[in-house]
Amino acid sequence: MEGRRTTLPIVDTAALKVIERLPGWRGRYFHSATMTFAHYEFAREATIHEHFHPEEEVYEVIEGELEIIIDGLVHAARPGLVAIVPANVRHFVRALTDGRVIVIDHPARPDFG
């Protein structure tokens, strides 16, 4: 199959540089052609200010619990509950515990990481 990739690229997330974008949010970032992935460790009471952006965003909590306010409605995100933030919708995040979360943005946000 000429011109076609036969293996998938592998990303060693543990080898990625840690960036503290906001106090209490330590992240490792990588990008696919159309998505940005952020693997965060978060600290209790750390927040992400209310904001919005043109990318859809998905929060999948691995450990701990987050409060996410999406378009004025309060939601809990913890293992087993995924939060989906539509594009251009205001949202705010507060860590209720210490923990880890994977945040995926579509389309990609090359300015991250």
Side-chain angles (χ1 to χ4, degrees):
M1 297 175 151
E2 192 172 319
R4 206 164 159 187
R5 193 177 284 217
T6 58
T7 61
L8 295 175
I10 301 297
V11 176
D12 179 358
T13 58
L16 297 172
K17 181 173 114 178
V18 175
I19 298 170
E20 188 167 23
R21 291 188 58 81
L22 293 168
W25 293 92
R26 294 167 309 282
R28 299 172 191 263
Y29 304 89
F30 65 95
H31 310 276
S32 72
T34 61
M35 295 179 286
T36 294
F37 296 80
H39 287 226
Y40 285 109
E41 291 182 4
F42 56 84
R44 175 189 290 275
E45 296 302 320
T47 61
I48 299 174
H49 58 279
E50 184 179 58
H51 67 289
F52 65 94
H53 40 73
E55 299 83 9
E56 178 181 51
E57 199 162 59
V58 176
Y59 288 76
E60 183 167 11
V61 176
I62 306 303
E63 293 175 11
E65 186 170 0
L66 297 173
E67 174 183 82
I68 302 179
I69 300 174
I70 303 169
D71 204 19
L73 298 173
V74 179
H75 304 275
R78 58 183 179 272
L81 298 176
V82 174
I84 300 170
V85 180
N88 298 308
V89 170
R90 290 194 166 280
H91 55 288
F92 167 85
V93 182
R94 182 169 63 97
L96 300 177
T97 67
D98 292 343
R100 295 184 307 131
V101 62
I102 298 171
V103 180
I104 302 110
D105 285 272
H106 181 268
R109 297 178 78 174
D111 54 316
F112 276 35

